[in-house]
Amino acid sequence: MKKDNKTVIYWLLTGCLLIFLMVIIGGITRLTHSGLSISNYKLFTGIIPPMNELEWQIAFDLYKQYPEYQKLNYHFTLEDFKDIYFWEWLHRALGRLIGIVFFIPFLYFLLKKQLTRSTIKKAVLLMGLGAFQGFLGWYMVKSGLVDRPDVSHYRLAAHLITAFITFAYTFWVALDLIYPNKKTSVNIGFRNSIRWGLAVLLLQIIYGAFVAGLDAGFIHNHWPMMSEGKFMHETVYIEQEPLYMNFIEGRSGVQFIHRILAFVVLFYIVFIWIKAKSLPLNTIQKRAVHMLLLIVGIQFLLGVFTILYHVPIWLGIAHQVGAFFLLSVMIFTLHRFSK
């Protein structure tokens, strides 16, 4: 059988879809404040949720030992606990499923000699990223089990951006197999422009995680100005000491950077779109650039409405999905102008 065949491509794209679902469930878990409901980690037995009232009570009693219950949710009943437990359990269960979907078929393809040496190396790296992502998830949860009833926004950002990078690389490997023929020439300058756009987008995704981790979307719910009609509200630079800490740990400062980066990403993609019009493009490249412009416009509007409406769960999730689609189109565009 031919190596790197369609079955291998379907395997990689299935992995992309599962990572996409994982990010959505992770966003719901965050927005429903469910992430600290399971305070232990059991790789194999953790897949089975409590099956009777006694097991539920044991899980609830364990939850009561940690700061989130003691400082925030001390009014919770068992039924309240079950609601938040579900999302965290589903998030972890899906993570285990992703591990199985990547590892078992990989072994099969390896034994059947259906992978080229290059794809084998890339697949090993993918599984390494997946394992690291799982570690970061638990490392993030641990930060909310000590003193503060919330996870570190730095660890949340690391967990989220690793998921996005794992998806991006999986998609890139799939694209390598979908489009095996290399281009005879590449416009280096334009390709590098897209690379810079990707770098800015990844920085914006990190700041999106900072906003989520600090609950910074629940303040300054105005647009285009912040509170009191100010472009930069004074709280942007007075919440933390020294000054620079405002922009990585201050709620107002982090939201301000996220706002500014939204414009940077939007205008940079408009710049890419305009620059592409002067180049000789094939049909796929034209569609990629047009889709990039469309998705960044939608994502920008989703961000605005998310702020204006005080981050309702459905809008928060839609905004995160928008970031995922924007990254996907950016990766596809970069690939079509690179290889």
Side-chain angles (χ1 to χ4, degrees):
M1 185 178 288
K2 181 183 175 182
K3 292 188 176 183
D4 291 346
N5 54 50
K6 285 186 177 180
T7 307
V8 176
I9 294 172
Y10 293 148
W11 164 57
L12 291 168
L13 292 178
T14 299
C16 288
L17 176 61
L18 288 174
I19 296 171
F20 169 65
L21 292 175
M22 184 75 165
V23 170
I24 294 176
I25 298 301
I28 296 173
T29 301
R30 173 65 198 173
L31 289 169
T32 55
H33 302 285
S34 304
L36 297 176
S37 57
I38 305 177
S39 46
N40 56 12
Y41 185 80
K42 297 177 181 179
L43 181 59
F44 299 108
T45 57
I47 192 66
I48 304 173
M51 302 300 290
N52 53 55
E53 286 302 304
L54 177 60
E55 292 179 0
W56 273 115
Q57 191 60 54
I58 292 172
F60 189 30
D61 288 341
L62 180 63
Y63 176 68
K64 291 178 179 179
Q65 298 176 24
Y66 292 96
E68 184 172 81
Y69 175 82
Q70 295 168 356
K71 297 182 179 181
L72 289 179
N73 294 336
Y74 45 81
H75 60 283
F76 263 30
T77 65
L78 182 58
E79 293 305 310
D80 295 323
F81 172 69
K82 287 180 180 180
D83 289 339
I84 63 170
Y85 187 99
F86 169 76
W87 290 112
E88 176 64 5
W89 172 82
L90 183 60
H91 189 53
R92 295 190 186 196
L94 189 55
R96 291 175 173 90
L97 176 62
I98 291 173
I100 293 170
V101 167
F102 270 105
F103 186 67
I104 300 300
F106 172 70
L107 286 181
Y108 172 81
F109 293 135
L110 204 58
L111 292 172
K112 293 292 184 178
K113 296 183 171 32
Q114 292 184 25
L115 303 175
T116 61
R117 181 173 297 181
S118 173
T119 303
I120 291 172
K121 291 178 180 178
K122 293 172 184 176
V124 170
L125 178 56
L126 279 175
M127 287 184 286
L129 281 170
F132 183 58
Q133 168 70 357
F135 162 75
L136 283 176
W138 177 238
Y139 184 62
M140 175 187 70
V141 168
K142 283 183 66 177
S143 66
L145 301 177
V146 184
D147 300 311
R148 295 173 59 246
D150 205 355
V151 299
S152 161
H153 69 291
Y154 294 119
R155 298 187 190 186
L156 173 65
H159 184 51
L160 181 67
I161 200 64
T162 304
F164 274 84
I165 290 173
T166 303
F167 165 83
Y169 189 60
T170 306
F171 190 37
W172 187 274
V173 175
L175 290 172
D176 279 346
L177 304 187
I178 294 170
Y179 299 101
N181 298 323
K182 306 292 183 181
K183 291 186 177 67
T184 55
S185 63
V186 172
N187 187 316
I188 303 299
F190 190 70
R191 182 202 64 188
N192 289 343
S193 294
I194 301 173
R195 284 180 174 178
W196 278 109
L198 176 61
V200 175
L201 176 58
L202 289 174
L203 179 61
Q204 173 68 325
I205 291 170
I206 290 171
Y207 262 90
F210 281 1
V211 169
L214 293 170
D215 289 328
F218 296 96
I219 57 174
H220 304 300
N221 299 106
H222 310 275
W223 192 270
M225 300 300 179
M226 300 181 81
S227 296
E228 300 170 18
K230 297 178 180 178
F231 173 72
M232 179 189 284
H233 195 265
E234 58 268 17
T235 53
V236 167
Y237 48 85
I238 64 172
E239 287 181 1
Q240 303 286 330
E241 291 288 346
L243 179 63
Y244 76 90
M245 293 297 290
N246 285 283
F247 303 106
I248 54 176
E249 292 190 359
R251 297 173 74 202
S252 295
V254 163
Q255 192 200 103
F256 177 75
I257 296 294
H258 195 52
R259 285 171 176 253
I260 296 302
L261 284 174
F263 282 107
V264 173
V265 172
L266 176 65
F267 291 147
Y268 197 89
I269 289 179
V270 171
F271 163 75
I272 289 174
W273 182 78
I274 293 173
K275 191 173 181 180
K277 292 173 73 68
S278 64
L279 302 175
L281 307 180
N282 60 42
T283 302
I284 293 177
Q285 289 173 330
K286 287 179 182 178
R287 288 176 179 171
V289 173
H290 289 325
M291 186 61 69
L292 199 57
L293 185 67
L294 174 64
I295 297 298
V296 76
I298 294 172
Q299 174 64 352
F300 187 88
L301 289 175
L302 284 172
V304 171
F305 286 121
T306 301
I307 280 290
L308 289 177
Y309 288 98
H310 297 250
V311 200
I313 291 177
W314 72 272
L315 258 179
I317 296 303
H319 190 46
Q320 188 160 308
V321 169
F324 208 97
F325 282 146
L326 184 55
L327 177 66
S328 303
V329 178
M330 183 70 84
I331 291 296
F332 181 79
T333 305
L334 178 59
H335 192 277
R336 289 299 75 221
F337 282 93
S338 298
K339 295 186 177 184

